[in-house]
Amino acid sequence: MGEMEQMKKEAEALKTQIEAARKAACDTDMASAASGVAPAPRVQLKTRRTLKGHLAKIYAMHWSTDNKLMVSASQDGKLLIWDSHSGNKVNAVPLKSSWVMTCAYAPSGNLVASGGLDNMCTVYNLKTPVIKTVKELDAHTGYLSCARFLSDTEILTSSGDTTCALWDLETGKQKTVFLNHVGDCMCLALSPDMNSFVSGACDSLAKLWDIRDGQCKQTFQGHTSDINAISFYPSGNAIITGSDDCTCKMYDLRADQEVIGYQDAALNSGVTSLALSVSGRLVFAGYDDFNCNIWDSLKGEKVGVLSGHDNRVSCTGVPVDGMCVCTGSWDSFLKIWN
Amino acid sequence: MARDMSDKDILKMELEQLQKEVKNTREPVSKTAKEICEWVEAQAAEDPLIKGVPEDKNPFKEKVLDITEQLWDIDYHMVITHGKEELQSNGENFCITV
């Protein structure tokens, strides 16, 4: 038997073993375990702010840890920093490349980052008298789909080149490359304890990585198309994913499998983005059909809808204090709801 | 990057990953799901998007100038005498014609 045939055979055997072990742990599912939990109330949120200023599709937004400022990125070639309370624009950062796909706010509030089809992650200092580019992180060989700061000195990126990377912002070099996906990496999310992160990719898999040793620890299957959005559950022991297959899923890290799905036969649009309320009970998922559906994460039921955008909802975000949810859209507007 | 790798190298990478993951311990869903439910229920009481945000504590409450309040704040006599008073609030101008 050829070497490749041999390896395929061994891989199949291991997959069967893993499936059997998962099945053995699968003595119930989340909806059943949550049968004693009181239903979530019907959620009716109002638009409190409509932030107007971008001139083209918005692709990404990210809250600052101060719960007030946020950054948004649009293919009009700008990052805008907003004061969400007043609705005013605080800063505008012109981008060298307008094909932006992601933006991020550092936990300190000092830095923001952006990246996209230029394959680079550019980091800007907001605190200098004039906003300055402090680093251009250039090593990915594919588009930059997502970036998240760990601190002012480290940032994680995910790329269309199928890898994720941890960068040292002082040297501008990659410290660790996370290679295991076989499709474009579309999204990443940091664990609450900052020791690990999860990535979602076009190979329809989600992977859990140890930041320090660079290893992939767990792989989650089930989606049948690209995973566009991913988030850690606030408890730290589950993740939620959103996919082009029109569903979201919760994967339990300790049981190593999917425990509930969020889907509706009537929904045939892909999920573009997701964000969780502070307790994790509510999942805000943005879809291609211009809506953001609100799911009860424990019972799997749809408990509300945020309607108001005139085009695809491309990004969603809940600030650390959980006081609102922000949606951003290809219609060029951001809306704040609570 | 997986793009530069040969089919054989990709298969080798997948196989090595499966060899690692087969060793992972898996806890029963009945235990792990129950713990998630308990955690969420404990937090949900303080989740602003579930319990609602009171109007007076909402930093995003709609910026509507309460005309009645403004009238009480300024000299009522002045408003009547001048007939029209421009009020400024948050950089926005409001005109009251009495």
Side-chain angles (χ1 to χ4, degrees):
Chain A
M1 199 182 284
E3 203 185 336
M4 275 186 72
E5 276 307 302
Q6 183 63 36
M7 288 200 284
K8 277 187 194 161
K9 202 161 176 256
E10 203 188 326
E12 284 311 309
L14 288 168
K15 283 182 192 174
T16 307
Q17 238 184 297
I18 290 174
E19 272 324 293
R22 283 181 172 150
K23 202 146 181 258
C26 186
D27 53 358
T28 184
D29 63 14
M30 177 56 80
S32 309
S35 56
V37 175
R42 194 91 207 142
V43 183
Q44 282 169 317
L45 305 181
K46 292 197 208 156
T47 305
R48 302 292 179 177
R49 297 278 181 276
T50 298
L51 305 179
K52 306 181 189 190
H54 280 301
L55 304 172
K57 294 174 175 170
I58 292 173
Y59 275 79
M61 62 79 47
H62 195 214
W63 282 97
S64 166
T65 52
D66 74 359
N67 303 307
K68 185 171 78 131
L69 299 180
M70 40 178 264
V71 60
S72 59
S74 162
Q75 292 202 347
D76 64 5
K78 288 220 172 33
L79 291 185
L80 290 179
I81 315 286
W82 305 86
D83 174 332
S84 62
H85 292 178
S86 65
N88 293 334
K89 294 178 251 323
V90 169
N91 266 315
V93 185
L95 302 173
K96 260 196 203 170
S97 161
S98 63
W99 304 112
V100 65
M101 295 174 69
T102 186
C103 59
Y105 224 120
S108 65
N110 296 330
L111 308 171
V112 288
S114 67
L117 295 183
D118 58 355
N119 298 1
M120 288 198 315
C121 179
T122 308
V123 179
Y124 311 86
N125 188 336
L126 295 178
K127 303 293 177 157
T128 44
V130 175
I131 296 177
K132 269 184 5 172
T133 300
V134 295
K135 273 288 177 298
E136 283 177 340
L137 306 174
D138 191 357
H140 280 301
T141 55
Y143 58 81
L144 204 85
S145 51
C146 191
R148 285 293 178 258
F149 286 92
L150 276 82
S151 66
D152 281 5
T153 54
E154 286 182 312
I155 194 169
L156 267 172
T157 55
S158 61
S159 171
D161 68 13
T162 76
T163 70
C164 297
L166 175 69
W167 304 76
D168 178 329
L169 287 177
E170 280 158 352
T171 62
K173 299 274 181 265
Q174 290 180 330
K175 287 212 282 214
T176 314
V177 176
F178 303 89
L179 171 61
N180 209 260
H181 279 295
V182 296
D184 301 14
C185 290
M186 298 303 293
C187 50
L188 70 89
L190 265 173
S191 67
D193 68 9
M194 311 260 274
N195 292 326
S196 45
F197 74 97
V198 283
S199 58
C202 292
D203 55 13
S204 36
L205 302 174
K207 284 180 179 284
L208 173 74
W209 307 84
D210 181 313
I211 292 184
R212 300 303 154 194
D213 73 16
Q215 300 298 306
C216 171
K217 299 299 186 194
Q218 285 175 261
T219 301
F220 303 95
Q221 294 130 318
H223 279 297
T224 53
S225 187
D226 306 357
I227 295 177
N228 297 318
I230 197 162
S231 181
F232 255 92
Y233 212 66
S235 59
N237 48 23
I239 62 170
I240 312 263
T241 53
S243 165
D244 269 350
D245 68 11
C246 313
T247 73
C248 296
K249 290 177 189 295
M250 181 196 288
Y251 292 97
D252 184 316
L253 301 185
R254 292 174 302 169
D256 189 44
Q257 58 192 283
E258 178 184 343
V259 292
I260 189 166
Y262 311 106
Q263 65 239 354
D264 194 311
L267 275 175
N268 53 14
S269 304
V271 179
T272 61
S273 49
L274 63 88
L276 303 184
S277 72
V278 112
S279 65
R281 187 70 196 263
L282 302 177
V283 178
F284 297 92
Y287 291 74
D288 286 343
D289 71 357
F290 310 179
N291 287 328
C292 180
N293 289 319
I294 312 176
W295 299 91
D296 175 340
S297 66
L298 300 181
K299 294 191 180 278
E301 294 157 355
K302 204 167 93 162
V303 294
V305 173
L306 302 177
S307 297
H309 283 292
D310 296 324
N311 206 325
R312 177 184 291 199
V313 174
S314 55
C315 48
T316 51
V318 171
V320 168
D321 67 2
M323 289 290 274
C324 67
V325 54
C326 178
T327 52
S329 167
W330 279 11
D331 69 9
S332 80
F333 303 125
L334 294 144
K335 285 180 185 288
I336 306 226
W337 315 71
N338 71 11
Chain B
M1 335 294 136
R3 304 208 180 296
D4 307 329
M5 292 163 67
S6 66
D7 286 347
K8 188 164 162 202
D9 285 337
I10 289 183
L11 192 49
K12 188 158 175 283
M13 179 174 79
E14 288 178 322
L15 181 56
E16 282 170 358
Q17 186 59 28
L18 287 166
Q19 286 164 341
K20 279 191 228 160
E21 288 187 18
V22 75
K23 298 181 194 157
N24 287 344
T25 52
R26 293 166 180 90
E27 294 180 55
V29 176
S30 54
K31 170 171 176 276
T32 60
K34 179 159 167 286
E35 285 172 18
I36 289 177
C37 288
E38 284 166 1
W39 193 95
V40 172
E41 282 195 283
Q43 304 289 318
E46 289 311 306
D47 185 332
L49 291 170
I50 293 181
K51 70 175 187 166
V53 184
E55 199 60 17
D56 56 340
K57 297 224 166 60
N58 189 354
F60 304 104
K61 71 170 178 258
E62 274 135 81
K63 296 185 299 170
V64 173
L65 180 66
D66 187 327
I67 298 291
T68 321
E69 277 185 291
Q70 285 294 311
L71 280 174
W72 288 122
D73 282 347
I74 62 174
D75 190 314
Y76 190 68
H77 174 72
M78 194 164 74
V79 171
I80 298 292
T81 316
H82 288 262
K84 182 165 118 178
E85 198 63 60
E86 240 182 299
L87 293 174
Q88 281 199 320
S89 177
N90 294 341
E92 290 168 302
N93 293 332
F94 293 82
C95 279
I96 304 173
T97 310
V98 183

